[in-house]
């Protein structure tokens, strides 16, 4: 019997058994009967394509991914595309210090931006945002994100069941969405940024090269909170707290998951807000959780839009990657441009088409303008106005919004229909006062006081 | 105009405004017009009684507490009762080292119990539980739970609005329930336990006295996860992970909230799983989140039953305490005893009535038996069988369970009806395999290997 059929037959007989005893016993029997011991782990995709009609491995706790109303197609993995993002040539890895906030820190932007970043003023000036970010910094030490795996590896005869299990762990730990991707090499930073002192002198000579190359990535996503978004302008005092809410929770989940995987004998590194060795958007796309958008490098999720942050775990545990998704976002972004109309820093382009950038196609938005506005914003703490106005972030659990996003994934003409409906309903401009639960400190939002 | 009416009138005019500007401006005006500057904070209860029909201050994000089907009455604060728990005399503070796990650690129980506790074997023997607990230990250092408040105090002319705000912060940080109580002095430990070395020698001479006395406590609660409970026996491999899920999340929330309150200029200390200066059940009762149960000192919540853990923040920020609740649990526990019938360690009493213990009335259950079973359980990791079988933990969002708990809060006769219905439906014995997402390591559940 070919191994795929064997696996499928076993799964029919034991549709829900997942104790480790059964898991290993059945898996080992299947592997031995097919002469596959030690090799199944190397061919995870074959298993995924034969046993799953959906483009993702189902979790027991969340057996269906909630895409809202969007129609989602799955995209095969290949070297010319990452999901719906076209790869034109060699994609160069980034140096972490070339990321926007570090550029501000290095004095590559305005003096005011450097000053605000150095004092971490743009988040910390609001005491609630400060408290969440302060906690998130406790996740920063290298021993929180990485370590040596246990000497003994748990055998994994069936990577699909292990993938299901890892997703269930993440959902149990309160992730809102979980996906698994093949880790793209260009997802890693080339180097980690050096110390704060070196950065201030713009001296990158002590940067540490990122040498890790692990084949899979688990991406966990947490919603930035619907009601708060509905009450906020997107760039007022609570804006950074919305990011911090998702950063700290995904950070904790990634730290626990990576530690667990190492305890099972495999390499695993967590990547989160205060300690990355990889850049999140390509990982998010690889894990089937979003597509690139008009903003340039930020991804949109079919139900949450930009209203999320992710953390990730890279690993060599044999897993079955989910497929990247296509819900028509590129056609949509081409005609919508609501984020560009509303961007307070005018960072987001109105260009109709994507352009080549670093070996791939993306919209030509300006992350310098975006970063400068976020770190110096004197009307609030950071900015997420694009998150607020994007028609894809679900405003409510209504048939209307579900229908709207269903329409939105049907091509260019319907994209402009969704955008018009969104505008007519005033979405993006609403500031629903009954949800305005936070306190504002306008006198602290200006430049840092020395 | 008496100050209460002034506050009420202002709130009618501004039912939902909660920016800090309005909050302070309106509050300051009210305080000045009534000549109350600096004194309102000292009389929070008066405000609560005049402005709220419910027994709790409403949150903007969760305007109604979800009690499931239970009928809840509110209990006035007084010195003879803590909620429905009768105080008969002086309640002596506990030494932390007299808590069950520390007793095992000190060798006061069996050698096996000491051995298992010393190696932290009872949680750590399961690698997933281990990973969550390892993270939770990063919350242990004193600088995570406490610190010096900011020099400048935010003025709080209206403690009720501040209470609402603090609750909203906790809900935003993903607490499932939040309550505020008056902090009972006997809720504090008399001493923190000394070092592990001292404990092993049973030497308490280096114990540090707990000197903090703060007037209020914010209690945050997180569900231990419905589906996992439905699939588990309550004392198998996943049992400790259910506790750890709620311990680590409530711990993080308490750390952030306490830090935020200190940044607003008030004293605040977080109390959580890896660093307590207080014992949680009286705080939970004081905050209106549960009543004492047949298990002795564990509290039951009207919707979650025992399926929760809490963390707390003690503070001198002027807040308005919620009232303790009475949903008929004492009458219910008197006749139900389903936890006693199902307790694998036979720790829970079948006595009909409570007895005096340390100056208050409680059921005479045996925490030594309970602790010994949890730390030495060779069929799993720890134990939460009482959580699993208690009819109060909501099994499903059905009209049936809601009706059942409604019946359960109507007195002794109906208590036995709810228990019988619960039994007839097989609740407590179900092990729903489709939710069994975790892996089991039976070979590791035995005594620690040296």
């Amino acid at each position: 019997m070919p191994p795929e059929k064997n696996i499928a037959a076993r799964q029919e007989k034991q549709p829900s058994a997942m104790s480790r005893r059964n898991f290993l016993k059945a898996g080992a029997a299947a592997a031995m009967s097919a002469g596959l011991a030690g090799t199944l782990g190397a061919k995870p995709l074959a298993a995924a394509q034969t046993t799953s009609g959906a483009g993702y491995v189902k979790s027991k706790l969340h057996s269906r991914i909630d895409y809202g109303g969007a129609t989602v197609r799955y995209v095969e993995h290949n070297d010319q595309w990452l999901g719906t993002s076209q790869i034109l040539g060699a994609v160069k890895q980034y140096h972490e210090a070339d990321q926007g906030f570090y550029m501000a820190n290095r004095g590559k932007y305005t003096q005011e931006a450097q000053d605000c970043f150095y004092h971490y003023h743009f988040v910390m000036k609001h005491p609630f945002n400060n408290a969440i970010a302060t906690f998130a910094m406790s996740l920063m030490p290298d021993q929180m994100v990485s370590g040596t795996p246990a000497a003994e590896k748990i055998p994994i005869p069936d990577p699909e069941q292990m993938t299901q299990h890892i997703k269930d762990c993440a959902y149990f730990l309160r992730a809102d969405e979980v996906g698994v991707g093949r880790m793209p090499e260009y997802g890693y930073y080339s180097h980690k940024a050096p110390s704060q002192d070196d950065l201030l002198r713009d001296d990158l000579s002590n940067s540490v090269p990122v040498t890790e190359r692990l084949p899979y990535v688990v991406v966990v996503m947490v919603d930035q909170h619907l009601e708060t978004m509905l009450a906020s302008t997107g760039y007022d005092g609570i804006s950074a707290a919305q990011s911090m809410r998702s950063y700290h929770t995904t950070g904790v989940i990634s730290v626990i998951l990576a530690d667990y995987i190492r305890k099972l004998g495999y390499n695993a590194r967590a990547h989160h807000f205060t300690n990355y060795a990889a850049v999140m958007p390509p990982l998010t796309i690889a894990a089937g959780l979003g597509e690139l958008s008009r903003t340039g490098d930020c991804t949109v999720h079919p139900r949450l839009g930009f209203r999320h942050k992710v953390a990730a775990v890279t690993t060599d545990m044999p897993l079955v990657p989910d497929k990247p998704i296509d819900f028509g976002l590129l056609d949509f972004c081409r005609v919508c441009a609501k984020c560009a109309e509303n961007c307070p820093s005018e960072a987001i382009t109105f260009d109709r088409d994507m352009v080549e950038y670093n070996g791939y196609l993306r919209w030509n938005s300006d992350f310098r303008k975006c970063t400068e506005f976020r770190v110096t914003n004197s009307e609030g703490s950071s900015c997420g106005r694009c998150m607020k106005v994007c028609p894809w972030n679900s405003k409510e659990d209504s048939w209307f919004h579900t229908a709207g996003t269903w329409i939105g994934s049907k091509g260019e003409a319907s994209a402009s229909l969704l955008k018009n409906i969104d505008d007519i309903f005033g979405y993006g401009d609403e500031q629903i006062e009954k949800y305005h639960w936070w306190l504002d400190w306008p006198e602290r939002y200006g430049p840092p006081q020395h």
Side-chain angles (χ1 to χ4, degrees), chain A residues 121-123 125-126 129 233-240 373-383 440-442 444-446:
Chain A
H121 183 67
F122 69 113
V123 173
K125 61 191 172 186
H126 188 294
N129 310 358
T233 61
Y235 54 97
D236 52 21
I238 204 62
S239 177
F373 182 82
R374 279 189 287 167
V375 296
T376 65
N377 173 16
S378 61
E379 293 175 65
S381 167
S382 198
C383 179
D440 289 312
W441 270 266
R444 295 193 195 176
Y445 298 158

Side-chain angles (χ1 to χ4, degrees), chain A residues 43 57 171 204 258-259 307 320 329 345 358 371 376-377 392 398 404 421 440:
Chain A
K43 293 188 179 179
V57 175
Y171 284 121
L204 300 188
D259 187 25
R307 204 181 73 223
V320 178
L329 185 68
S345 71
N358 188 27
T371 304
T376 65
N377 173 16
W392 289 97
S398 69
I421 292 172
D440 289 312

Side-chain angles (χ1 to χ4, degrees), chain A residues 249-260:
Chain A
T249 46
T250 55
V252 168
I253 297 168
S254 70
V255 163
I256 295 172
L257 274 187
D259 187 25
Y260 177 49

Side-chain angles (χ1 to χ4, degrees), chain A residues 309-332:
Chain A
K309 301 289 181 203
V310 303
V313 176
T314 45
T315 183
D316 56 8
M317 169 177 271
L319 296 175
V320 178
D322 302 322
K323 293 184 188 176
I325 57 173
D326 172 6
F327 58 101
L329 185 68
L330 302 191
D331 284 344
F332 183 85

Side-chain angles (χ1 to χ4, degrees), chain A residues 117-400:
Chain A
F117 188 89
Y118 177 69
H119 295 281
Y120 212 61
H121 183 67
F122 69 113
V123 173
M124 296 309 202
K125 61 191 172 186
H126 188 294
F128 185 59
N129 310 358
N130 185 322
I132 314 177
T134 299
F135 165 74
M137 288 188 186
S138 72
L139 305 174
M140 186 187 290
D142 284 340
Q143 64 267 31
M144 294 294 283
V145 298
S146 57
T148 307
E152 192 189 345
K153 276 184 162 63
I154 184 178
I156 302 179
D158 185 338
E160 182 162 332
Q161 280 199 331
M162 183 50 86
T163 305
Q164 180 183 61
H165 170 62
I166 293 293
K167 288 185 178 182
D168 281 319
C169 290
Y171 284 121
F172 177 77
L173 295 170
R174 310 212 294 170
D176 288 326
E177 294 276 12
V178 188
V180 173
R182 288 210 283 193
M183 178 67 192
E185 188 165 343
Y186 49 78
Y188 284 109
Y189 282 131
S190 65
H191 297 76
K192 287 281 291 171
S195 69
Q196 175 64 21
D197 283 351
D198 284 347
L199 285 167
L200 268 182
R201 288 193 309 268
D202 195 20
D203 174 1
L204 300 188
S205 60
N206 293 316
S207 307
V208 180
V210 174
T211 56
E212 175 188 299
R213 294 293 181 273
L214 295 173
Y216 303 111
V217 60
V218 182
V219 177
V220 295
M221 182 177 277
V222 168
D223 188 336
Q224 293 192 124
H225 202 245
L226 173 63
E227 290 88 345
T228 304
M229 182 210 76
L230 289 171
S232 162
T233 61
Y235 54 97
D236 52 21
I238 204 62
S239 177
Q242 285 216 275
S243 300
M244 294 303 132
R245 176 188 204 254
S246 306
Y247 277 136
H248 91 280
T249 46
T250 55
V252 168
I253 297 168
S254 70
V255 163
I256 295 172
L257 274 187
D259 187 25
Y260 177 49
I261 292 174
R262 290 192 301 271
K263 289 185 197 316
L264 300 184
Y266 296 89
N267 288 292
R269 189 210 200 270
H271 306 261
H272 60 68
F273 169 57
T274 58
N275 192 334
Y276 292 115
V279 59
M280 294 297 107
L283 282 56
T284 306
I285 298 170
L289 296 177
E291 290 184 71
L292 272 196
S293 69
R294 174 170 288 279
T295 57
D297 279 329
C298 291
T299 58
V300 163
H301 178 274
R303 174 174 53 87
L304 298 174
F306 297 114
R307 204 181 73 223
H308 67 265
K309 301 289 181 203
V310 303
V313 176
T314 45
T315 183
D316 56 8
M317 169 177 271
L319 296 175
V320 178
D322 302 322
K323 293 184 188 176
I325 57 173
D326 172 6
F327 58 101
L329 185 68
L330 302 191
D331 284 344
F332 183 85
C333 283
R334 194 174 294 120
V335 301
C336 170
K338 190 162 175 170
C339 55
E341 291 164 10
N342 283 276
C343 175
S345 71
E346 301 181 354
I348 304 175
T349 181
F350 284 91
D351 287 357
R352 182 173 163 83
D353 292 309
M354 300 166 113
V355 296
E356 184 173 350
Y357 173 86
N358 188 27
Y360 62 99
L361 281 184
R362 70 160 202 185
W363 269 283
N364 192 28
S365 291
D366 185 336
F367 74 86
R368 172 176 177 157
K369 282 187 185 167
C370 170
T371 304
E372 284 182 351
F373 182 82
R374 279 189 287 167
V375 296
T376 65
N377 173 16
S378 61
E379 293 175 65
S381 167
S382 198
C383 179
R385 179 78 182 145
C386 46
M387 177 271 284
K388 165 86 177 178
V389 302
C390 176
W392 289 97
N393 94 67
S394 69
K395 310 324 187 287
E396 44 188 336
D397 274 336
S398 69
W399 67 268
F400 172 78

